[in-house]
Amino acid sequence: MAEFRRLSYSLIKYRCLIGSCPLFSKTAQTQNLTPCLCRYKLQRRIPSRYVHTRSLVLSQYMKSQPSRDDTEIDIVSEEEKESRLETVQELVDNEEDDSALLEFYVNKAQNEMDYMDDVDYHDIENVNKRLFFKIVDVWLKDVGSAKRGHRDFVQTLLNSLSRFDVECDISAYVKLLDCFPDGKHTGLKRDHWYWSGFADKISDHLLGQQLMFVINEHGAIPNDQLFNKTTDLFGRFSPVTLKARSLLFWYPRMVAHSPHPISIADFKKLTPTELAFNGLRQINPGVDCHYHNFAVDKSRCKEVIDSDKIDSIISCQSEKQKEQLAQHDLSIPVYIEGPFVVYYRLKKVQYYVMRANPSQAKVEEPQNQRTTIVSDKEWWSQFYGVDYQTSKPYCGKTLQFYPEEDFFPTVDIVDGYGDKKSEEISLIDSDTQSAEGPVYAIACTDYSSPVALQSWVRGLILDNPVLREASVVFREEQSFMLNAPKDDPNESDYENIDIRDI
Amino acid sequence: MATTAVGPCHSRLTVMTPVIRRWLAYGGKDSRPLLKAVATPINCPRRFLPKVGGTRHQETENQMVVQQEEVIYRPRQVRMDWLGMKRSWKYVLKTVRSMFSSVTENESTARLFKKDHVMYYFRNSEDLSYWYVMTDEDYGGHSWAELRQGLNEMTAMFRGYLSEKRPRDLLPTTDPLQPQPPYHGMVYLETRPFLTILDKREYMSLTGFNAVKLRLRGDGRKYDFEMVCDCGFEKRIAYVVPIYTRGGPLWQEIEIPYVKFMAKMEDGGYLLVRQRGMGYAMLENFRFKLQDGIEGPFQLEIDYIALIQNSTFPDEGTDNKDPWEPINATIG
């Protein structure tokens, strides 16, 4: 009786191998398994880190056996089966290769992608992103409700998000939270203000903190789904929820400091011309700016640039700059300086500046001197506040019938001290104007030849007829941003010699 | 000699001194050493001298020699609070001088008659000595920076190269089961502290004004403008605001109200959960920091840093104060 019991237990234990054991089938011979080794492999003491490999091996063995209950049998050649197992066996034998986990599930998800995934992930267009979500779904199905080995899986995916183009997408991080085991008896939730201080499962909470850190680093936009899921998983008194709350609180406040905010996800979708437009809007602010995209004469321009770069020349000019250019003295040339570089978010934009020299710029005469004129139409209207011809009242001190529309109302707050207050900024505010001349227009292009600048000037002549008569000179300048050295030029080489390098 | 003293002694001794009691209890001996007279200094008044009581021979039935306890008067050690007196004398001088001087010469009242106050500007090359540059080279980084006069010779130019190359002891791990250690290149420009006699620190004050005004010309990068306040016990809190520079040939003027600054610990990189108000009178230094994670050259030209009063800006704000913080910290 005892022997029968022992046999039956051994059969139950090794029921998966009944088909592959040499005593019962021939397939084990083709799989290069010796009877002594198969038993030792199962009894080998495998550390918890490699639990995934154990389940991997077992699942592979189970799959290699054709199930008689299924009506549909996948016809897979034995060569393919061997190749699959060999690759997995190599990875399992090489204990140093911890990327076996990710590679296995990547291959599995690629093999299992079918028409139903087009329905499940209809809103995701990028194939790599779909693969990411498929990998997580495949793992969840393989592992079951216990979700054993979740920490390794989540950590490997966190380190390889850029591979799937998913680092700026918050839905990917929310999906990763599904990999944590949830339930009443996991011991993960910290919901009491006192007992959470004695709680266990510290590594899970640390991993959650790492997740929040990665969200902040890659610039993903947090949402309410992230916060609600973390509270349901980790509880109200865990550092993970605190970090999620701080992300939600500070993200809009940091964004409010930038004049034209754009997320990294939208930034990556910008075309070169959109990039140039945004860069020019950043350099030349104003609601009333005129933007033009002039084509460059490619028959004359022999310079070749990449397809990612800007082929044409994009120009930006505000109303005030137009008026200044109209008053330009024709005896003096107009200079085009460049090329300069400016950063727009993560990328660089190259631009040229059209301006005049400072000493030759026109100075406006002051209008407050009224020594000779005794009476005038303007004096009459200012004195009586009424139009000379129609005797219509003006609106306040301005010589206009209707008030100017402001977006915000102006507020006149009167201090008790009145005119006694001294000013310091007005004394130093205009010092730089004497050293730098007025700017007339700014343009953006990746060409470095003057042919592109000729097409720019030709395009601006329609709105600025002064350029037809004035002489335009191109002044090439050596900008620091284009030719910056990576090593400090102020330090001498003799100071940085390390004896170990000799 | 009698060894027992039972009940009141009806003897010529009307007062039972403690010495006698002790002497009697210990069997005629006193374990305490008897205090002897102290040598008198020459020019000391008599009333400050220690009173040495002479032995009073009192006749008793048993002819005991009793020595009365010596009353000792020590000269009083008077501790003068010199530091406090110095401070108070300084305060007295200040108030007296302010009474006889005009309003603008007094620090606290001068700012009432000022529309704006320029703290730093760079019209001379000597003005650059008030600032210094620090990079991540101190902990193994590879970025460099310099501070020099601008091309106009009227501004300060802070420029260099920010590199994201990791130091040798913070290389990334090849193990996919370990998180990557965080690192970003960093470069900052800071004011030198004001030090007076014996390295005593003096602080700048923000009182009388509402906002900070900056005139600068950057390269399109995001710089952090920080004001570091001393909270005592070697604890410093930095109030930070991100400046998104436009770049280009045009100058950029920025007005930042005090209320918009965000508090964070100077050593740590995270903002404080419990935001607290700024100490207007304990400002140590200003700082321009670059740590945006983009590898490449940078250039920042600064014209001036000033304080202004703008009545449209609020004086007290709740922008950065989380209303749920006191609840999340306690009951949740």
Side-chain angles (χ1 to χ4, degrees), chain A residues 98-166:
Chain A
D98 290 319
S99 58
L101 175 65
L102 186 66
E103 296 300 325
F104 174 74
Y105 281 106
V106 167
N107 291 329
K108 196 169 180 184
Q110 278 171 348
N111 291 337
E112 289 188 12
M113 292 281 263
D114 57 358
Y115 62 92
M116 281 304 292
D117 295 325
D118 289 337
V119 177
D120 291 336
Y121 312 123
H122 66 277
D123 51 343
I124 300 164
E125 292 169 0
N126 194 343
V127 175
N128 287 329
K129 282 191 189 179
R130 279 192 184 181
L131 185 64
F132 177 86
F133 288 96
K134 181 72 183 172
I135 286 164
V136 177
D137 287 336
V138 160
W139 184 83
L140 286 169
K141 205 167 64 167
D142 264 3
V143 142
S145 62
K147 295 178 189 172
R148 213 173 163 196
H150 64 281
R151 269 174 251 131
D152 297 348
F153 184 69
V154 171
Q155 190 65 68
T156 47
L157 279 178
L158 272 179
N159 290 340
S160 55
L161 285 169
S162 54
R163 186 176 160 180
F164 304 105
D165 294 335
V166 111

Side-chain angles (χ1 to χ4, degrees), chain A residues 216-236:
Chain A
N216 193 22
E217 207 181 316
H218 288 137
I221 301 166
N223 60 2
D224 58 343
Q225 222 179 5
L226 179 79
F227 180 72
N228 291 333
K229 269 199 166 173
T230 48
T231 44
D232 292 340
L233 243 185
F234 296 106
R236 290 176 295 167

Side-chain angles (χ1 to χ4, degrees), chain A residues 49 52 59 77 101 114 120 205 212 249 263 273 284 288 299 314 341 368 378 417 444 497:
Chain A
R49 217 151 67 100
H52 60 273
S59 60
S77 63
L101 175 65
D114 57 358
D120 291 336
H205 289 263
M212 297 297 152
F249 183 78
S263 66
T273 43
N284 207 357
D288 56 353
S299 59
I314 298 153
V341 160
N368 292 331
E378 285 177 14
Y417 302 108
C444 179
I497 286 172

